[in-house]
Amino acid sequence: MNSSPQKFEDLSATGYVDGGSLTVEQAIANLESADLGLRFYAAWWLGRFRISEPAAVTGLIKALKDEADRTPEGGYPLRRNAARALGKLGDRQAVSPLIACLDCSDFYVREAAAQSLEMLGDAVCIPPLSKLLAAGLHGEQLVSQQPDLSQPYEAILEALGTLRATEVIPLVKPFLEHPIELVQYAAARAMYQLTQQPAYGERLVKALAGERLQLRRAVLADLGAIGYLPAADAIAQTLAENSLKLISLKGLLEHQVNHTTPSTLSEGAMKVINLMDSLL
Amino acid sequence: MNNSDLAQILIRAVQEADSSERLVDAVQELAAAGIEESVPTLIAALGYNNPGAAVAAVDGLITIGEAAVSPLLELIDDYNYGARAWALRALAGIGDIRALDTLLEAAKTDFSLSVRRAATRGLGTLRWHQVPPEKVESVQTEVLEALLLISQDPEWVVRYAAVTSLETLAIAIAVTLPDQASQITNQLQQMLDTDTDLGVRTRVKFAQEKIQQQQHQEVFAPKRKLQETEVEVPHRGGGRR
């Protein structure tokens, strides 16, 4: 691991921007610049600073069909950045164009589209996401050739969980056995969101004791996303950066607050606060 | 075997650890021994980019306490912000007032949010009894001003840390500096009304409850003091006879 997430967090946090600052007008105009590097950067910048003006959204949607910027392997760097940015801008106009991206030949465009569709939260994307997930299945079993890396299963599973797509539980469940641990965790996270059964939360808690730091970091994010309160102590104790534990616990705290009466703090919320204080 | 021999053995185990897990174990053992000689080794362990080892080293340094403060202040690694954040966590845990200037500067100006967070927390855990009585008021006012500024940090986790420190400071100065204490309650209310982050707003609510509990207790405190004085006076008088 050459760069810790903490490093990214710290750099982005202070608004550190390599290559100078842009104005909104410049960034939108740069999406069509002759310089492909400027286009790529502008798409990232519009997402990073949450520029949700109609012209930015329109420009980014247009960039989802870009043909100019290609990697030697045939990837579409500008489309990837545009898809990522559109998730952050919260404009539902982007939903259909992002669904179209799920058919893109570039894996990373499909992955970015699934992540952004999750953020936009429109249930209309559930059938196309399920279709993509089913590419990894024969009936209700994983396809025989494993590990199957042909689709961004992690992002698809997370999106289906967040979208509360209970109708696809039979498609999600087989991925608990996927040979790649990150995919298993994404499946456990989605199964918890879809069924609220503690067994799936506990599976993630167990993973916090795993050997690899990178996996523990991913599980911290998963537990924060589902707000699984019984994980609080395990989160505080796992061997990982405090920054990530704090973000995870904040997910638990916010889940508590959103699901209890607003006037008083629940016992669970106070427990999480005390753990968070001890990690500052 | 004396402490020094033990320290040498445990320090060697840290230096010779050849896997991440062994390193964590070795640092944990060294930290648990709580021997002053181990301070430089524990400080070095803050910079290994191994969170398990760093957590153990911070615990060890906090246990050693005051004796670790000068070396921590001297050895804080300016080039490794990961290590700097852990060192500030150790200083915050010890609460020694000698760290005040380092904490103030880091909390206000460090580019790393982990460092600002740890330092901000440290401003709320200072041991006020170490400050000469004639200076307490001015130092507390200085810390208050810093915390009011930090509570507007762009990062939620730094504002969260500021709330924890505003809470402890409000309780510490409730009687001695009531005007400053009410500045804190005003700031907390403003954060509750306007902060964009739900986690921060929730922490503010918790702080407000803690401060209110404290105020509730203060109502009864003067009475108790008076009673104590009444009991003490005849006793002292009796001694003079």
Side-chain angles (χ1 to χ4, degrees):
Chain A
M1 251 158 297
N2 49 9
S3 52
S4 68
Q6 197 184 18
K7 206 170 277 181
F8 289 121
E9 182 194 5
D10 277 325
L11 289 181
S12 61
T14 42
Y16 165 88
V17 175
D18 193 21
S21 55
L22 283 173
T23 66
V24 173
E25 293 71 26
Q26 270 172 344
I28 294 169
N30 281 357
L31 286 175
E32 306 206 342
S33 164
D35 181 338
L36 295 181
L38 286 182
R39 289 193 200 184
F40 180 79
Y41 181 76
W44 172 83
W45 191 92
L46 291 167
R48 166 66 181 85
F49 295 103
R50 305 268 193 297
I51 310 298
S52 52
E53 291 184 17
V57 175
T58 316
L60 288 166
I61 289 175
K62 199 173 162 204
L64 293 176
K65 293 188 171 176
D66 173 77
E67 287 291 349
D69 192 5
R70 304 295 300 268
T71 66
E73 297 79 23
Y76 291 94
L78 177 60
R79 293 191 193 187
R80 295 173 191 169
N81 270 6
R84 288 177 195 130
L86 285 164
K88 295 177 185 157
L89 303 190
D91 190 322
R92 298 218 168 169
Q93 277 183 76
V95 171
S96 293
L98 285 169
I99 289 174
C101 286
L102 294 175
D103 292 323
C104 181
S105 58
D106 180 357
F107 177 95
Y108 297 104
V109 173
R110 299 198 298 277
E111 180 178 65
Q115 286 165 343
S116 288
L117 286 165
E118 175 184 6
M119 288 191 241
L120 294 175
D122 191 326
V124 74
C125 66
I126 292 174
L129 283 170
S130 314
K131 198 181 118 203
L132 215 53
L133 189 65
L137 297 170
H138 267 316
E140 293 193 0
Q141 286 190 331
L142 296 179
V143 292
S144 53
Q145 218 172 12
Q146 291 295 347
D148 168 24
L149 298 169
S150 59
Q151 297 296 343
Y153 294 119
E154 220 187 305
I156 298 167
L157 290 163
E158 289 177 4
L160 290 170
T162 301
L163 292 161
R164 300 281 188 266
T166 46
E167 64 271 31
V168 299
I169 289 174
L171 299 182
V172 171
K173 207 172 175 188
F175 285 88
L176 291 166
E177 312 303 326
H178 196 275
I180 296 179
E181 281 165 287
L182 284 173
V183 178
Q184 290 173 23
Y185 301 157
R189 160 180 168 162
M191 284 302 287
Y192 180 81
Q193 287 173 312
L194 300 177
T195 67
Q196 296 295 310
Q197 283 178 22
Y200 299 113
E202 289 306 316
R203 177 142 180 190
L204 292 171
V205 171
K206 211 174 141 200
L208 280 180
E211 295 251 312
R212 285 157 60 198
L213 177 59
Q214 214 175 352
L215 294 180
R216 296 196 299 272
R217 287 171 174 161
V219 175
L220 284 174
D222 289 335
L223 285 165
I226 65 173
Y228 184 62
L229 184 64
D233 289 310
I235 291 169
Q237 281 157 23
T238 189
L239 297 177
E241 292 83 353
N242 284 11
S243 313
L244 301 182
K245 296 188 198 180
L246 283 162
I247 292 170
S248 183
L249 287 170
K250 186 166 90 109
L252 269 53
L253 180 61
E254 295 186 344
H255 190 83
Q256 279 295 300
V257 176
N258 284 330
H259 291 79
T260 49
T261 47
S263 59
T264 54
L265 290 173
S266 70
E267 222 169 280
M270 289 197 275
K271 180 190 165 80
V272 175
I273 285 174
N274 286 321
L275 288 171
M276 287 177 75
D277 286 4
S278 74
L279 293 165
L280 296 168
Chain B
M1 187 162 50
N2 62 30
N3 266 354
S4 181
D5 294 337
L6 176 64
Q8 290 317 311
I9 292 168
L10 296 172
I11 287 168
R12 209 173 311 129
V14 172
Q15 288 161 347
E16 289 170 0
D18 55 2
S19 74
S20 159
E21 234 168 83
R22 275 197 201 126
L23 179 68
V24 175
D25 290 345
V27 174
Q28 273 171 347
E29 280 190 42
L30 180 63
I35 302 166
E36 258 185 68
E37 276 174 82
S38 67
V39 167
T41 312
L42 291 174
I43 289 175
L46 305 177
Y48 293 159
N49 198 16
N50 178 325
V55 167
V58 167
D59 289 346
L61 289 163
I62 293 173
T63 311
I64 293 166
E66 291 189 9
V69 173
S70 304
L72 271 168
L73 289 172
E74 283 161 24
L75 292 174
I76 277 184
D77 180 1
D78 282 329
Y79 299 96
N80 180 344
Y81 64 76
R84 213 157 67 238
W86 290 113
L88 281 157
R89 268 178 63 70
L91 288 170
I94 297 168
D96 194 289
I97 201 75
R98 281 173 290 168
L100 177 64
D101 290 339
T102 301
L103 292 172
L104 277 171
E105 199 195 326
K108 287 196 281 195
T109 65
D110 203 284
F111 82 91
S112 157
L113 68 94
S114 322
V115 172
R116 297 204 300 283
R117 173 191 88 213
T120 301
R121 172 71 169 168
L123 291 174
T125 54
L126 291 165
R127 298 194 199 167
W128 294 117
H129 66 83
Q130 292 180 333
V131 184
E134 70 278 10
K135 282 192 178 169
V136 168
E137 192 170 315
S138 68
V139 177
Q140 284 176 333
T141 305
E142 190 186 7
V143 170
L144 168 64
E145 276 162 15
L147 287 172
L148 292 176
L149 183 76
I150 298 158
S151 65
Q152 299 164 46
D153 193 282
E155 287 301 325
W156 75 267
V157 76
V158 181
R159 299 199 301 279
Y160 184 105
V163 174
T164 69
S165 293
L166 285 169
E167 171 195 308
T168 52
L169 185 61
I171 290 169
I173 65 175
V175 177
T176 53
L177 299 170
D179 290 348
Q180 281 88 333
S182 64
Q183 265 183 283
I184 295 180
T185 43
N186 290 343
Q187 175 71 5
L188 290 174
Q189 188 56 43
Q190 199 186 332
M191 291 176 86
L192 185 68
D193 295 339
T194 61
D195 200 287
T196 51
D197 188 277
L198 176 58
V200 171
R201 293 199 304 273
T202 307
R203 187 62 185 79
V204 168
K205 237 187 235 180
F206 187 73
Q208 288 177 326
E209 282 179 19
K210 284 272 162 114
I211 293 168
Q212 270 165 18
Q213 281 168 19
Q214 180 64 24
Q215 282 170 345
H216 186 70
Q217 284 166 13
E218 294 296 338
V219 174
F220 301 99
K223 229 187 233 169
R224 214 180 303 133
K225 252 184 208 161
L226 231 132
Q227 282 165 353
E228 278 166 13
T229 323
E230 282 165 4
V231 175
E232 270 176 23
V233 171
H235 176 75
R236 274 194 206 137
R240 271 194 215 113
R241 263 185 227 145

PDB file of all heavy atoms in Angstrom, chain A residues 169-182:
ATOM      1  N   ILE A 169     -33.016 -10.089  -3.751  1.00  0.00           N
ATOM      2  CA  ILE A 169     -32.292 -10.855  -2.722  1.00  0.00           C
ATOM      3  C   ILE A 169     -31.734 -12.178  -3.257  1.00  0.00           C
ATOM      4  O   ILE A 169     -30.568 -12.505  -3.002  1.00  0.00           O
ATOM      5  CB  ILE A 169     -33.194 -11.088  -1.479  1.00  0.00           C
ATOM      6  CG1 ILE A 169     -33.380  -9.760  -0.739  1.00  0.00           C
ATOM      7  CG2 ILE A 169     -32.604 -12.132  -0.545  1.00  0.00           C
ATOM      8  CD1 ILE A 169     -34.353  -9.817   0.410  1.00  0.00           C
ATOM      9  N   PRO A 170     -32.522 -12.948  -4.035  1.00  0.00           N
ATOM     10  CA  PRO A 170     -31.979 -14.227  -4.529  1.00  0.00           C
ATOM     11  C   PRO A 170     -30.757 -14.052  -5.429  1.00  0.00           C
ATOM     12  O   PRO A 170     -29.924 -14.960  -5.520  1.00  0.00           O
ATOM     13  CB  PRO A 170     -33.145 -14.833  -5.322  1.00  0.00           C
ATOM     14  CG  PRO A 170     -34.363 -14.126  -4.840  1.00  0.00           C
ATOM     15  CD  PRO A 170     -33.928 -12.765  -4.421  1.00  0.00           C
ATOM     16  N   LEU A 171     -30.651 -12.894  -6.086  1.00  0.00           N
ATOM     17  CA  LEU A 171     -29.474 -12.653  -6.931  1.00  0.00           C
ATOM     18  C   LEU A 171     -28.275 -12.198  -6.100  1.00  0.00           C
ATOM     19  O   LEU A 171     -27.124 -12.441  -6.446  1.00  0.00           O
ATOM     20  CB  LEU A 171     -29.773 -11.576  -7.983  1.00  0.00           C
ATOM     21  CG  LEU A 171     -30.881 -11.834  -8.998  1.00  0.00           C
ATOM     22  CD1 LEU A 171     -30.988 -10.660  -9.973  1.00  0.00           C
ATOM     23  CD2 LEU A 171     -30.609 -13.127  -9.757  1.00  0.00           C
ATOM     24  N   VAL A 172     -28.540 -11.517  -4.995  1.00  0.00           N
ATOM     25  CA  VAL A 172     -27.460 -10.974  -4.157  1.00  0.00           C
ATOM     26  C   VAL A 172     -26.811 -12.090  -3.343  1.00  0.00           C
ATOM     27  O   VAL A 172     -25.585 -12.163  -3.207  1.00  0.00           O
ATOM     28  CB  VAL A 172     -28.011  -9.865  -3.226  1.00  0.00           C
ATOM     29  CG1 VAL A 172     -26.964  -9.442  -2.205  1.00  0.00           C
ATOM     30  CG2 VAL A 172     -28.476  -8.659  -4.053  1.00  0.00           C
ATOM     31  N   LYS A 173     -27.647 -12.955  -2.795  1.00  0.00           N
ATOM     32  CA  LYS A 173     -27.191 -13.946  -1.818  1.00  0.00           C
ATOM     33  C   LYS A 173     -26.017 -14.805  -2.292  1.00  0.00           C
ATOM     34  O   LYS A 173     -25.073 -15.035  -1.522  1.00  0.00           O
ATOM     35  CB  LYS A 173     -28.373 -14.824  -1.397  1.00  0.00           C
ATOM     36  CG  LYS A 173     -28.188 -15.397  -0.008  1.00  0.00           C
ATOM     37  CD  LYS A 173     -29.434 -16.090   0.481  1.00  0.00           C
ATOM     38  CE  LYS A 173     -29.114 -16.730   1.828  1.00  0.00           C
ATOM     39  NZ  LYS A 173     -30.201 -17.579   2.295  1.00  0.00           N
ATOM     40  N   PRO A 174     -26.032 -15.297  -3.541  1.00  0.00           N
ATOM     41  CA  PRO A 174     -24.910 -16.163  -3.959  1.00  0.00           C
ATOM     42  C   PRO A 174     -23.547 -15.466  -3.857  1.00  0.00           C
ATOM     43  O   PRO A 174     -22.528 -16.131  -3.685  1.00  0.00           O
ATOM     44  CB  PRO A 174     -25.239 -16.482  -5.423  1.00  0.00           C
ATOM     45  CG  PRO A 174     -26.698 -16.238  -5.573  1.00  0.00           C
ATOM     46  CD  PRO A 174     -27.057 -15.179  -4.597  1.00  0.00           C
ATOM     47  N   PHE A 175     -23.532 -14.133  -3.931  1.00  0.00           N
ATOM     48  CA  PHE A 175     -22.259 -13.414  -3.904  1.00  0.00           C
ATOM     49  C   PHE A 175     -21.603 -13.419  -2.525  1.00  0.00           C
ATOM     50  O   PHE A 175     -20.460 -13.009  -2.377  1.00  0.00           O
ATOM     51  CB  PHE A 175     -22.439 -11.989  -4.438  1.00  0.00           C
ATOM     52  CG  PHE A 175     -22.598 -11.948  -5.935  1.00  0.00           C
ATOM     53  CD1 PHE A 175     -23.848 -12.071  -6.513  1.00  0.00           C
ATOM     54  CD2 PHE A 175     -21.485 -11.836  -6.754  1.00  0.00           C
ATOM     55  CE1 PHE A 175     -23.998 -12.066  -7.889  1.00  0.00           C
ATOM     56  CE2 PHE A 175     -21.627 -11.828  -8.139  1.00  0.00           C
ATOM     57  CZ  PHE A 175     -22.885 -11.953  -8.711  1.00  0.00           C
ATOM     58  N   LEU A 176     -22.319 -13.903  -1.512  1.00  0.00           N
ATOM     59  CA  LEU A 176     -21.693 -14.096  -0.195  1.00  0.00           C
ATOM     60  C   LEU A 176     -20.572 -15.120  -0.293  1.00  0.00           C
ATOM     61  O   LEU A 176     -19.690 -15.173   0.558  1.00  0.00           O
ATOM     62  CB  LEU A 176     -22.741 -14.588   0.817  1.00  0.00           C
ATOM     63  CG  LEU A 176     -23.819 -13.585   1.231  1.00  0.00           C
ATOM     64  CD1 LEU A 176     -24.953 -14.305   1.945  1.00  0.00           C
ATOM     65  CD2 LEU A 176     -23.228 -12.503   2.123  1.00  0.00           C
ATOM     66  N   GLU A 177     -20.606 -15.955  -1.330  1.00  0.00           N
ATOM     67  CA  GLU A 177     -19.600 -17.010  -1.502  1.00  0.00           C
ATOM     68  C   GLU A 177     -18.568 -16.645  -2.561  1.00  0.00           C
ATOM     69  O   GLU A 177     -17.758 -17.478  -2.950  1.00  0.00           O
ATOM     70  CB  GLU A 177     -20.279 -18.322  -1.927  1.00  0.00           C
ATOM     71  CG  GLU A 177     -21.487 -18.715  -1.094  1.00  0.00           C
ATOM     72  CD  GLU A 177     -21.146 -18.842   0.380  1.00  0.00           C
ATOM     73  OE1 GLU A 177     -20.003 -19.254   0.675  1.00  0.00           O
ATOM     74  OE2 GLU A 177     -22.011 -18.507   1.212  1.00  0.00           O
ATOM     75  N   HIS A 178     -18.610 -15.436  -3.067  1.00  0.00           N
ATOM     76  CA  HIS A 178     -17.659 -15.035  -4.115  1.00  0.00           C
ATOM     77  C   HIS A 178     -16.225 -15.165  -3.590  1.00  0.00           C
ATOM     78  O   HIS A 178     -15.964 -14.860  -2.423  1.00  0.00           O
ATOM     79  CB  HIS A 178     -17.947 -13.583  -4.534  1.00  0.00           C
ATOM     80  CG  HIS A 178     -17.315 -13.203  -5.837  1.00  0.00           C
ATOM     81  ND1 HIS A 178     -16.008 -12.769  -5.907  1.00  0.00           N
ATOM     82  CD2 HIS A 178     -17.777 -13.190  -7.097  1.00  0.00           C
ATOM     83  CE1 HIS A 178     -15.707 -12.505  -7.167  1.00  0.00           C
ATOM     84  NE2 HIS A 178     -16.771 -12.759  -7.915  1.00  0.00           N
ATOM     85  N   PRO A 179     -15.300 -15.623  -4.425  1.00  0.00           N
ATOM     86  CA  PRO A 179     -13.919 -15.830  -3.938  1.00  0.00           C
ATOM     87  C   PRO A 179     -13.207 -14.533  -3.547  1.00  0.00           C
ATOM     88  O   PRO A 179     -12.238 -14.577  -2.784  1.00  0.00           O
ATOM     89  CB  PRO A 179     -13.217 -16.516  -5.107  1.00  0.00           C
ATOM     90  CG  PRO A 179     -14.086 -16.302  -6.290  1.00  0.00           C
ATOM     91  CD  PRO A 179     -15.475 -16.127  -5.792  1.00  0.00           C
ATOM     92  N   ILE A 180     -13.668 -13.410  -4.030  1.00  0.00           N
ATOM     93  CA  ILE A 180     -13.011 -12.151  -3.646  1.00  0.00           C
ATOM     94  C   ILE A 180     -13.690 -11.577  -2.408  1.00  0.00           C
ATOM     95  O   ILE A 180     -14.901 -11.347  -2.391  1.00  0.00           O
ATOM     96  CB  ILE A 180     -13.052 -11.155  -4.817  1.00  0.00           C
ATOM     97  CG1 ILE A 180     -12.222 -11.742  -5.958  1.00  0.00           C
ATOM     98  CG2 ILE A 180     -12.529  -9.791  -4.400  1.00  0.00           C
ATOM     99  CD1 ILE A 180     -12.166 -10.910  -7.176  1.00  0.00           C
ATOM    100  N   GLU A 181     -12.882 -11.366  -1.364  1.00  0.00           N
ATOM    101  CA  GLU A 181     -13.458 -10.959  -0.085  1.00  0.00           C
ATOM    102  C   GLU A 181     -14.239  -9.647  -0.161  1.00  0.00           C
ATOM    103  O   GLU A 181     -15.291  -9.504   0.453  1.00  0.00           O
ATOM    104  CB  GLU A 181     -12.362 -10.873   0.973  1.00  0.00           C
ATOM    105  CG  GLU A 181     -11.985 -12.238   1.508  1.00  0.00           C
ATOM    106  CD  GLU A 181     -10.677 -12.206   2.279  1.00  0.00           C
ATOM    107  OE1 GLU A 181      -9.611 -12.071   1.631  1.00  0.00           O
ATOM    108  OE2 GLU A 181     -10.728 -12.291   3.502  1.00  0.00           O
ATOM    109  N   LEU A 182     -13.725  -8.708  -0.921  1.00  0.00           N
ATOM    110  CA  LEU A 182     -14.420  -7.422  -1.012  1.00  0.00           C
ATOM    111  C   LEU A 182     -15.821  -7.590  -1.586  1.00  0.00           C
ATOM    112  O   LEU A 182     -16.758  -6.896  -1.190  1.00  0.00           O
ATOM    113  CB  LEU A 182     -13.614  -6.441  -1.875  1.00  0.00           C
ATOM    114  CG  LEU A 182     -12.388  -5.831  -1.203  1.00  0.00           C
ATOM    115  CD1 LEU A 182     -11.579  -5.028  -2.213  1.00  0.00           C
ATOM    116  CD2 LEU A 182     -12.792  -4.951  -0.028  1.00  0.00           C
TER     117      LEU A 182
END
